[in-house]
Amino acid sequence: MSSEGSSRLRERARRNYGYIEREVISEGKRSVLSNHRIDDFDSVLLIASAPRGGSSLLFDVLRHHERTCSLDGEHDRWFMLHDLCYPTFESDVIPADFDSFDGETLGRDLLAEVGATERAGEHTHRVDNTLVRLPLQFPDRELPYEWIRDRLLDGVPLDEVLRELDISPLQYDEYATRDAPHPLGNETIEDRPFVSSHDHKRALREDDFERTLVLKASGDAYRLPWIRNQLLPETDVTLVHLTRNPAASINGLYDGWRLNRGFQTYDVGDLDLEGYDGSLWCYDLPPGWTTEGDLIDVCLLQWLQAHRHILDARDAFDDVLRVRFEDVLTDTPSVVQEVLEFAGLGESALLSENVDDPNEVMTTKEPRRARWRDREDLIQGTLDRADGTYSEVVERLGYTAESEWI
């Protein structure tokens, strides 16, 4: 699809989302969106990482804290809806001084699927969140949104509704029991695998804006100064920089690119990448991206550029905590406690239960330590070809000892 075709797709998504916002979602949701924006929250806990760096797991654990609010997944789909992405920009980098955007509308749209964590949850909130994301998940479809709402409110499971609409539930992380038979080629606004609404969430109330909003999107690695200076200039933002060793991250990226059911993001034209048969770009679009060469080198570029930009953006924030995903895997309670103390959050029974038994989210294969060694020669080859910038980032992140790369 050409950039003109992508623009038409986003325009249709904006039109359908606007209709759902005005006519389909609950009156309570409409009231919140008419009176508030994302920057009404007093404090934000922002997780920044490279893709396949473990941020989905850490985010899922933290959003179970009963003094937090959060979206159901990553928020950058709303940036894409507003054309704050490629091809407006040459990559996922948004300049720190870029101010040619509708802050009022973007701030309201970013709030569209935010809910407050509560053990009991709220069925209507989950239905509303499913509805507002449908135009972003299927921008090329004109769906019967009122009929979908009624079916979901009657308790019909989402995967059953999808099948009735001849839509494969394999596109959703929750229902992905296997891979799709071939690469998915239709462009979307929300990245696959799509997320489902969080069970322990209810609709926002006026006093919920005193809670901490937890945000994460791997693309934020390229827009941290812009978020700090333009999107949330008056908000108390604390930043968690989540790192993961290059071999494990590159291996996860390589798996994800070759997974037919996700993680497609952009149509950048014809791709000629050794090791990839799909038609869409996957994951973030870093500076220096290319449509030709070896897929494994693209994966290295995505890891390297993300962490280099995060390291360079640290000065834009007063409070930054670096966390190693390796420590999240080996000592989850201690790491989560460190993050909670950093963010000024106390104890939470619901979170503690999730720490003891975390969900499996956005996995490409069954988790296993040092799984990257299954293709060690391929990964070592791209690391050997890397330039001095790679060595500098590895040293700054503290990953010089390969024996620690689990």
Side-chain angles (χ1 to χ4, degrees), residues 241 243-244 246 303-309 311-312 322 387-400:
H241 179 188
T243 68
R244 190 181 190 184
W303 178 87
L304 177 61
Q305 287 282 27
H307 284 296
R308 184 177 72 80
H309 278 78
L311 289 167
D312 290 347
R322 188 183 299 173
D387 60 19
T389 304
Y390 164 75
S391 299
E392 177 190 350
V393 170
V394 166
E395 184 172 350
R396 292 178 70 183
L397 295 180
Y399 284 114
T400 54

Side-chain angles (χ1 to χ4, degrees), residues 60-92:
D60 189 69
V61 170
L62 293 174
R63 72 174 182 171
H64 281 81
H65 196 289
E66 288 139 320
R67 283 178 50 198
T68 67
C69 296
S70 62
L71 288 79
D72 286 329
E74 298 197 348
H75 52 273
D76 49 6
R77 49 182 165 261
W78 300 103
F79 294 152
M80 184 175 283
L81 191 68
H82 284 252
D83 292 322
L84 295 172
C85 60
Y86 174 86
T88 301
F89 306 106
E90 294 181 354
S91 68
D92 274 338

Side-chain angles (χ1 to χ4, degrees), residues 23-42:
E23 305 291 341
V24 183
I25 58 175
S26 66
E27 184 177 344
K29 172 80 83 174
R30 289 201 299 270
S31 177
V32 169
L33 295 181
S34 65
N35 292 296
H36 291 285
R37 307 187 334 175
I38 198 78
D39 55 357
D40 286 342
F41 280 96
D42 294 335

Side-chain angles (χ1 to χ4, degrees), residues 348-374:
S348 164
L350 186 61
L351 178 138
S352 295
E353 293 168 14
N354 191 260
V355 168
D356 293 337
D357 185 22
N359 297 321
E360 191 172 298
V361 291
M362 295 294 170
T363 57
T364 54
K365 291 186 178 180
E366 190 67 26
R368 175 164 48 87
R369 291 191 182 188
R371 188 168 55 80
W372 66 272
R373 294 197 181 276
D374 292 348

Side-chain angles (χ1 to χ4, degrees), residues 1 5 8-20 131-148 160-169 171-172 184 186-189 192 194:
M1 185 181 294
R8 287 197 298 269
L9 203 66
R10 292 170 192 169
E11 179 56 38
R12 175 185 285 185
R14 284 191 288 268
R15 183 180 69 247
N16 286 335
Y17 167 68
Y19 172 75
I20 290 171
L131 289 166
V132 298
R133 287 199 311 275
L134 285 174
L136 284 67
Q137 295 167 341
F138 307 102
D140 57 344
R141 295 281 301 266
E142 295 292 341
L143 296 172
Y145 298 112
E146 289 91 346
W147 177 85
I148 295 172
E160 183 175 328
V161 174
L162 293 171
R163 291 189 185 93
E164 291 174 354
L165 295 169
D166 198 27
I167 295 174
S168 172
Q171 298 179 81
Y172 284 77
L184 298 171
N186 57 312
E187 193 174 1
T188 64
I189 310 298
R192 301 185 189 91
F194 302 140

